[in-house]
Amino acid sequence: MNVSAATLSLTVADVDASRAFLTTHLGYQVAMAADGFASLTREDAAADIVLLRRGTEVLPPEQRDQQASGLILALTVTDLAAEEARLRAAGAPITMPLREEPWGERLFQMTDPNGVVIQLVEWSDGPGPSDEKAARAGDTPTL
């Protein structure tokens, strides 16, 4: 299998609010939009995001009234401290302050107007998750 792109589809109550949050604070751009729908993209390697309004008929009946919850959209970035300072200065709702976990993950979280948790992550000088997997397999991580 060759995966050429990744897209995360989120069902939310207010598509416009999440779209504004992601374009204002995280640099996403609107690729397509219609009533109750927005497709967002970035020019870098980040996953594309599709926002669908809860209740829309394009969703299977058993999913129409569900809303994105219990998930974290994690984006790995460089210069995490500068991103946290930029977003704080811009008034983004930082819901978990910058911290470092014992395993070397540095992170902070924001929550968009629909309750979607967005986590920005940076790995310390130690191995990151893909490096650890490669080390267990006896391979040298690729950069």
Side-chain angles (χ1 to χ4, degrees):
M1 171 176 28
N2 179 28
V3 177
S4 62
T7 302
L8 177 65
S9 182
L10 301 172
T11 304
V12 297
D14 186 344
V15 168
D16 293 339
S18 285
R19 181 183 67 215
F21 182 89
L22 291 163
T23 57
T24 299
H25 296 302
L26 297 177
Y28 274 86
Q29 300 164 354
V30 177
M32 292 181 273
D35 183 38
F37 165 82
S39 176
L40 308 175
T41 190
R42 288 182 49 101
E43 292 184 13
D44 56 17
D48 291 345
I49 298 173
V50 168
L51 302 168
L52 294 169
R53 183 176 51 229
R54 194 173 86 195
T56 188
E57 291 188 14
V58 300
L59 293 168
E62 66 275 7
Q63 295 178 13
R64 287 183 190 153
D65 291 322
Q66 294 180 8
Q67 184 166 300
S69 65
L71 65 88
I72 296 173
L73 170 58
L75 302 172
T76 302
V77 301
T78 56
D79 203 353
L80 184 68
E83 288 300 322
E84 193 266 352
R86 177 187 69 80
L87 289 160
R88 189 174 295 282
I94 308 291
T95 52
M96 177 190 291
L98 183 62
R99 68 187 207 189
E100 184 165 346
E101 300 295 352
W103 51 86
E105 179 184 30
R106 297 180 66 224
L107 62 102
F108 70 92
Q109 292 179 347
M110 302 174 288
T111 302
D112 94 334
N114 284 293
V116 176
V117 176
I118 300 162
Q119 177 172 294
L120 298 188
V121 177
E122 179 179 61
W123 292 93
S124 66
D125 293 335
S130 61
D131 297 338
E132 291 169 6
K133 183 177 178 182
R136 285 193 304 271
D139 297 336
T140 303
T142 57
L143 300 178

